Amino acid sequence: MRIKILGSAAGGGFPQWNCNCGNCAGLRNGSIHAHARTQTQIAFTVDSKIWFLIGASPDLRTQILATPELTPNGNSATASPIGGIFLPSADTDSLMGLLHLREFQSFFVFATASLQKIVKKENRIFSVLDRADPPVQWQTLSARGRLGCHLSESPGEAPAFICATFPLGDTYPDYVSAELVRTMAPEEATIGFSFEHAGKSLLVAPSLCGRNSEWTKLAASSDVTLIDGTFWSDDELRRTGRSNKTARDIGHLPLSGTAGLLEQFPRNARGRHILIHINNTNPILDEDSPEHSAVLDAGFEIAYDGMDIEL
């Protein structure tokens, strides 16, 4: 399995267009040691031919253009190597990029039944995906389940990889009507993924609410874990003047503090653990900061745009 990190920042990217926090201002004026990042986008392949996306970021078009492996190939008019997209939630940062893929290209979208309701009932703009011939095909995921994924329609062919799902959060985005929310399962609001191929596993959990510990067992056994690095501290947004909400209020387990990610992450984890979905206010973005050193000393890596991982 090959994994590419096309984008590693949280919503708004880094620097964020309307933010003048110490990090964003410092990156613009060159006073901190940091690198610009686009919004989180992950891609992977098990055969170097067909690629799958995890999420569909608002920066997806630019990210695809910057990735030679995702450019069209073959002789047909529409020959993108992108075969499918796994959607973790209905957050705009995970969903908006689908609109970049409306150009008459057929592919699979893997999502929970609740997420499909949100897209198909409340956001008719996504019906542009149906213009492809054949139209985009939606595959339903459960909040807890295992799905064998095939790369061809050959009868009797073994799955190329297995996708296992598990719940990460129980809150739907604010734009979803209360009426619709009442019809949907809370455990389908945000899900994580474990992808298994040839005895190796990739865990993807870029949004941890911290209200369950199911992810810790998977993190202990995965070969690569891409995990929520959004905020360093619970009060980070308040201290930087960006919001009155805490990290946990908006569904993210902070890295530091009591019961933070650094404390909860299993000490016996066998594989690489990489922080992703890093908010523009997070001090770990400053590569000379003590917080940056702290996560490295704890055994974590920090994702960056263009990061390439082989399993």
Side-chain angles (χ1 to χ4, degrees), residues 136-210:
V136 166
Q137 300 179 60
W138 290 81
Q139 298 288 310
T140 302
L141 298 174
S142 65
R144 287 185 176 87
R146 292 175 64 82
L147 176 70
C149 300
H150 297 78
L151 301 184
S152 75
E153 297 181 358
S154 301
E157 182 183 80
F161 62 92
I162 302 294
C163 171
T165 52
F166 56 98
L168 289 177
D170 55 11
T171 304
Y172 289 94
D174 291 342
Y175 72 82
V176 183
S177 69
E179 179 183 4
L180 186 57
V181 168
R182 285 193 290 270
T183 71
M184 300 188 299
E187 66 177 8
E188 292 187 359
T190 302
I191 60 172
F193 301 104
S194 178
F195 298 99
E196 304 165 15
H197 169 73
K200 302 288 187 177
S201 61
L202 164 67
L203 177 65
V204 181
S207 180
L208 291 176
C209 73

Side-chain angles (χ1 to χ4, degrees), residues 70-174:
L70 299 183
T71 55
N73 51 51
N75 298 318
S76 63
T78 53
S80 169
I82 296 173
I85 300 140
F86 291 85
L87 296 178
S89 75
D91 288 345
T92 54
D93 301 329
S94 297
L95 199 61
M96 283 177 59
L98 285 177
L99 297 177
H100 292 305
L101 306 179
R102 68 191 186 279
E103 306 297 346
F104 304 100
Q105 174 74 40
S106 182
F107 50 84
F108 289 90
V109 180
F110 302 87
T112 63
S114 295
L115 195 156
Q116 292 184 50
K117 282 185 181 180
I118 293 170
V119 171
K120 296 175 181 180
K121 288 189 175 182
E122 292 212 336
N123 295 273
R124 295 298 300 166
I125 190 171
F126 289 102
S127 64
V128 295
L129 297 172
D130 296 333
R131 300 186 303 170
D133 184 17
V136 166
Q137 300 179 60
W138 290 81
Q139 298 288 310
T140 302
L141 298 174
S142 65
R144 287 185 176 87
R146 292 175 64 82
L147 176 70
C149 300
H150 297 78
L151 301 184
S152 75
E153 297 181 358
S154 301
E157 182 183 80
F161 62 92
I162 302 294
C163 171
T165 52
F166 56 98
L168 289 177
D170 55 11
T171 304
Y172 289 94
D174 291 342

Side-chain angles (χ1 to χ4, degrees), residues 3-76:
I3 305 133
K4 287 189 71 74
I5 307 298
L6 310 187
S8 53
F14 177 59
Q16 187 170 300
W17 69 278
N18 65 340
C19 183
N20 202 37
C21 71
N23 277 348
C24 291
L27 182 65
R28 292 188 188 103
N29 63 32
S31 63
I32 66 171
H33 182 198
H35 294 84
R37 286 169 161 85
T38 59
Q39 295 168 95
T40 290
Q41 183 63 60
I42 303 162
F44 73 92
T45 182
V46 297
D47 69 350
S48 298
K49 296 177 182 178
I50 300 175
W51 285 79
F52 293 85
L53 306 179
I54 305 171
S57 95
D59 293 324
L60 185 54
R61 178 183 179 276
T62 301
Q63 292 164 335
I64 290 173
L65 292 177
T67 308
E69 295 90 341
L70 299 183
T71 55
N73 51 51
N75 298 318
S76 63

Side-chain angles (χ1 to χ4, degrees), residues 12 95 132 149 173 185 200 227 231 236 254 272 274 279 308:
L95 199 61
C149 300
K200 302 288 187 177
I227 200 162
F231 298 110
E236 186 173 309
R272 296 171 66 180
I274 304 170
N279 200 58
D308 209 327

